[in-house]
Amino acid sequence: MKLAEALQERADLVVKINQIKARLANCVLVQEGEEPLENPQELKSALDNALERLEFLIERINLTNAATMIDGTSLTQLIAHKDVLNLKIKHYSEIINEANFRARGGEIKFKPTIDISAWQKQKDDLSKELRLVDNKLQQSNWTVDLIE
């Protein structure tokens, strides 16, 4: 199984687990004299099985990410770098928007204390780096075998 397939299955399992939980929540209480629409014990079993499979996949994905090196960097490190790039881009965007918003209109004149165009250039550079890191991750996901 390729890493990408395991990642897809993990995402599908999260959806399935939430659906089973919702179905289980709908049948744990019934009016006296009524029967539940589904067997809660069967749903619990299905939930437990899905959660056990999810645990297995998470373990294997994490092991694979830690052991797989791309250009001298583990997939785990690339994922952490991608996450931080996303945060930087988000926060830079918010600061740029704040500076642009506060500097416009109104009776009291405000001026930005940052070089908005320099911040925008940094954000654009980070966005490009993020795309390149994401491309490396996506490519490896389809070429790396899951450690089983």
Side-chain angles (χ1 to χ4, degrees):
M1 170 185 284
K2 295 295 181 194
L3 180 56
E5 294 169 307
L7 292 167
Q8 287 176 336
E9 185 179 347
R10 179 185 68 183
D12 291 344
L13 274 170
V14 169
V15 170
K16 180 180 180 178
I17 288 164
N18 288 328
Q19 290 171 342
I20 294 170
K21 181 184 167 259
R23 289 168 50 204
L24 191 53
N26 286 332
C27 70
V28 293
L29 283 175
V30 292
Q31 189 173 349
E32 230 177 286
E34 298 289 323
E35 292 293 321
L37 295 175
E38 296 185 79
N39 183 327
Q41 217 36 54
E42 288 176 8
L43 288 173
K44 181 187 178 297
S45 178
L47 180 64
D48 289 343
N49 289 338
L51 287 166
E52 287 172 21
R53 178 65 180 168
L54 179 63
E55 180 180 4
F56 170 81
L57 286 173
I58 290 170
E59 288 172 359
R60 299 293 138 206
I61 289 166
N62 289 345
L63 286 171
T64 303
N65 286 342
T68 302
M69 302 299 280
I70 304 293
D71 299 330
T73 305
S74 73
L75 290 181
T76 299
Q77 291 170 301
L78 281 175
I79 292 166
H81 186 57
K82 177 185 170 184
D83 290 346
V84 170
L85 284 172
N86 273 317
L87 285 172
K88 274 187 177 181
I89 291 165
K90 174 184 177 272
H91 293 307
Y92 282 23
S93 293
E94 290 170 358
I95 296 299
I96 292 165
N97 289 339
E98 187 69 24
N100 275 326
F101 175 75
R102 290 196 180 255
R104 295 182 189 194
E107 292 178 19
I108 301 173
K109 296 293 182 192
F110 289 96
K111 65 177 192 160
T113 60
I114 63 170
D115 181 347
I116 294 173
S117 62
W119 277 67
Q120 185 63 52
K121 167 96 174 73
Q122 284 183 323
K123 187 187 113 183
D124 293 343
D125 291 344
L126 291 169
S127 295
K128 180 180 179 180
E129 184 180 353
L130 175 62
R131 285 189 301 277
L132 294 174
V133 168
D134 194 49
N135 287 344
K136 278 184 184 180
L137 286 168
Q138 293 300 322
Q139 181 182 20
S140 66
N141 288 347
W142 287 104
T143 56
V144 172
D145 290 318
L146 187 70
I147 295 174
E148 296 205 43

